[in-house]
Each structure stands twice: as structure tokens, then as C-alpha cells.
Amino acid sequence: MRIALAQLNPTVGDLGGNAKRAVDAHARARAAGADVIVFSELFLNGYPPEDLVLKPAFQDATRAELERLAAACAEGPAVLIGTIWRDAGKVFNAVALLDRGRIEAVTFKSELPNYGVFDEKRVFAVGPMPGPLNVRGVRLGVAICEDIWAAEVVETLAETGAEIIVSPNGSPFDWPKPDSRINVAVARVTESGLPLVYVNQVGGQDELVFDGASFVLNADRSLAVQLPAWREAVVVTDWNRTESGWRCVSGESAKVAEGPAAAYHACVLGLRDYVTKNGFPGVVLGLSGGIDSALVAAIAVDALGPERVHAVMLPSKFTSDDSLLDAADCTKRLGIRYDKISIEPAVAGFTWGLKDLFAGTNADITEENLQSRVRGTMLMAISNKFGGLVVTTGNKSEMSVGYATLYGDMNGGFNPIKDLYKTEVYALARWRNANVAEGGLGPRGDVIPQRILTKAPTAELRANQTDQDSLPPYDELDDILRSLVENELPLAAVIARGHAAETVKKVERLLYLAEYKRRQAAPGVKISARNFGRDRRYPITNRFREDIASSASPLDKTKSAAFSSTYRKDED
């Protein structure tokens, strides 16, 4: 038997476009002699379709497109494709078997995830326990994504005669996810004694990014095939029936990047698809001469090409000569358009307009934020005039503690580094200087000047300012934030990691207070296991504050031991 794995990049709502991609992949599989081609979860609709699923017109259009697709793939391999399916007033997350021009069978997802970024119970009905589908004389047990994260579905499929487990997935990337997937798949193979085909989608959808990295495990848990991450692939796998069951012949074995390399590819793909799928001609960003905007510029060039990236330096009287030189140097290395526009006339105009109301007061953070808001307004004006999407450049450390200015540097439509802590920003910048992203459109070499990597970070909103005037060093800050955000450690457990109690309490306070800003932030690529917005959802109005003395417990200490692993702009 020959099973084709279609690791492709669908677009949510583009039924005709997704169907065309399926027809093209089917033609390739047919030419290679495949018996069946497997697509990812909800491929026809794009994943995740969220509340679009509830729209009757979308349900009707999906069914019509599915029937056209069945007719278009009448000759050649059978098709297993993810789709929504309406039946008796309920909508299911389903996989349809298309063969010989017809919809031969449909099987439903039973385990609906309702945690983190997933809320499928809002839009889908729970499917019944599935049985295997007979595909060209072989009984394939289809377990859709979350169905393999619990044992019951695969156990049922094995008990009802499945010979091979096929798992179409829409599994978004985060730091620990690749290892988790393999571990879960190995567990299901071990329990069932059956080989498993895992097909994941690739591409960006709003804040989520899907890395692909599809694979095949044999019944002895050996990795027979590993598809690449971060790019599309249609791969045909060869199978032989043995005395002990079906076995996949060893095939492609791509190396899957980890750590900063994986995160960088996620940022590139997430930005590329957000810009391209939403029809923007390119991006515009404010380039400050600092590390965050330099990394975003490099990501944008790798994602879109230098001709689609426009950098603007918006200096004030506090902007240093080093910042001007570093920004210009970075744009030259990347080969992108660079303009310099002073914000001083606009700042002076606002200052003059407010002089009577502000009479008798001292200059403070108000005047600092005014500079950021002038910059944000100018960037939005450039976007309005020329059509480029404004990308913001704030990192997760900043957004955690609120060191970002509403309607200022937070202006924009997307932020590729939103879920990267400051220390991770540095790690990705160093990685990019030493490497080129696969499929990246930027140049080789040190695209980020070394001085940007070594100088002290500063917002330059007042004289002689650095981030560490009001924040702990980023190594310390980021460890506290990971403890509080990703791991929800009690304060006593965070302090036990070697942090001063007053520092931990200050960071906790800032984290709570900044929730209202994060609700208004641009979407950005999800990298961590717990990003702001889709994963971590805290109330804005919230008076709870943890008492350190009552927060410690033996469990907390164990959890703490197991755990290892911005600009001062606005305090209002």
C-alpha cells in the first residue's frame, strides 16, 4: 500500500482555494501511485475556523465544495480530508473519505479540546466513538488530532479491527510541542500495537502558527518517516503487510529544528502568512536602533523579501547618534527602504497645544509617552497612505509589565515577537546572524549589527535612560515572568528560585496592572506554551494579590524545582 501525506498550508474560509490545493496534491499522489492521500484536520475549511463554523451559509458552502472535490478526485487515490460536517442540526469536526467520485464515509472527532487556544466544545458536537474505514481493502482507523491525546479512541479503533492509525492534525507550534506530539504518538502505538500516520498542517493563522513536521511511527515505535517542519510537502510512503501487521518502509528523515531556530521560523512563517493571506502589499515598522525592532526587521525581510519592508527612524532630541548609526547600518545590511523623520516638530506642536492646561506642572512620563504616541501616529499615517501593515516590535517582557504605550509603540496590526521574552529576542537575533532561515528571503551574515546586540537597551524617551533604571536585569525579570505566567508558581516558590521578595511582588503587581493594555495589543505569533490572549485570560478588574507568607507548600517547592526552563515607557 502507498499512503501519501499532504502537509499543506490552508487558508481559513477559502473553500475553493483549499480544494484546489487538495486537487493539486491528489494529482501528485496519483502520479506517484498512491492508494490514499491524507490531509490535515479541517483542511477544506482551514483551521481553526472558530465561530465561522456556526454560520449556516458556511456549512452549506462546505458541503457543496466537498462534493465538487469528490468528483474532481474520482480517478486515482482515495482521499481522507478534514472538513466540518452538519448532520441532524449538529456540526461535527470530521474527516470525509472520498473515493471514486463520491463521499463514501465520514468519521467524527470524539475528543474536543477545550483548553489553552482550543475551545472546540463551543462550536462542535462530540462525535461517537469511531470505527475503522475500509480504504482499498485496508482498515484505517482515523483519530482526529485530540483523539490521540487520550487513549480511548485509539483503543476502540484497535478493538474494532483497525490495521493502521491515521491521525489528521491541526496542532499549533509552541516550544515544547514537538516532543509532546512524539511522546503521545508513541504511547498510542505502544498501547494499540498499531503503526501511526501523523499528518499536521503548516502555516500561520492569526496568532497560531503550525509547523507541520508530520511523521510515521511503526508498530515497534521506530520513526519510519519524518517530514520537514515549516514548509509544505507531499510525501508518498510505502507499506508492506507482514505477519505482524502493516509496516512502513523507512523513507524521508528530515531534521526538525529546535530552540531558537524553531522559534525564528515560527515568527517568519506567522508574519508571512498574516501579511499575505490578508492581502497587505508589505509592512512598515519604526526602527529605533535597538534589538527588538532590528529583529523584527530581519524577520520581515526573511518573510516577505526586502522590497516589501519599509523601515522608518523617528528620532527625537533624546535619540543618540549611536541609535541613528545602528538603525541605518541595519537597514543597509538588510537592503530595505529607510526613511528618517524627526518627531520634534509634532511633539512641539502637542506641547504648545497643552501648555496652558499643563501650566505649573513638571515634565514627567506624560511627555515621554507623547513622543511614543507621535511616532505611532506617523507610522499609521504612512500605513494609510501606502497600504503597508504596521508591525509592532514590543516583546513579551514589555507586554508583561506594561512598559509599552497605548496608541504609541503599541500601534499596529501584527507583532511577530509578541510572545518572546527579551532574553529570547537576543537569542533569536544571535541565531539569525549565524544562520539563514529555510525559505528565508533575506541575506546571509550579520544582518543585526553587533553593537545593537551589546549595548544597553533603552527607550530614549529622556536623557541617559536605560531599561534597567526601573526594571531588574532581563535575565532576572524573564525568569520571574516565566514563573508567574507560564508556570503559575506561587510567589514563595518564585522567591525560592533566588529572587528578592520585593522584586517579585513588584513584577506581580505590574503584571496584573498591565492586563488592560494587553487586551488592546496587536495579535502576534504564539511561541510559548502560554501566550497572552488565547492561553492566559485574566480579568482586567482584579483585586486579588497573593500573600507570600501563605503561598508556600511542599507541592509548590516540587513544582519550582521542576521548572527551568522592557522599555520604560508607560506606567499608566
Side-chain angles (χ1 to χ4, degrees), residues 2 12 36 43 221 248 274 337 458 472 510 512 516 551 553:
R2 308 198 83 194
V12 168
V36 60
F43 180 83
R221 302 183 298 279
C248 181
Y274 191 87
R337 178 179 174 180
T458 171
L510 294 173
Y512 281 135
Y516 79 101
S551 69
S553 72

Side-chain angles (χ1 to χ4, degrees), residues 10-25:
T11 298
V12 168
D14 187 10
L15 297 171
N18 295 338
K20 183 181 184 304
R21 299 179 83 84
V23 169
D24 292 344

Side-chain angles (χ1 to χ4, degrees), residues 186-210:
V186 166
R188 300 293 86 82
V189 169
T190 301
E191 294 159 0
S192 67
L194 298 176
L196 185 145
V197 178
Y198 184 103
V199 180
N200 193 25
Q201 77 177 48
V202 66
Q205 171 58 31
D206 297 342
E207 292 183 291
L208 302 182
V209 63
F210 300 84

Side-chain angles (χ1 to χ4, degrees), residues 432-477:
R432 176 57 182 88
N433 274 356
N435 301 273
V436 178
E438 183 177 353
L441 303 176
R444 294 181 177 274
D446 286 1
V447 294
I448 298 173
Q450 285 300 313
R451 186 162 61 183
I452 290 179
L453 286 162
T454 57
K455 67 184 180 182
T458 171
E460 294 189 324
L461 296 175
R462 63 176 185 272
N464 303 315
Q465 180 185 22
T466 68
D467 289 12
Q468 268 57 67
D469 293 343
S470 50
L471 289 176
Y474 279 114
D475 285 346
E476 180 180 1
L477 175 64

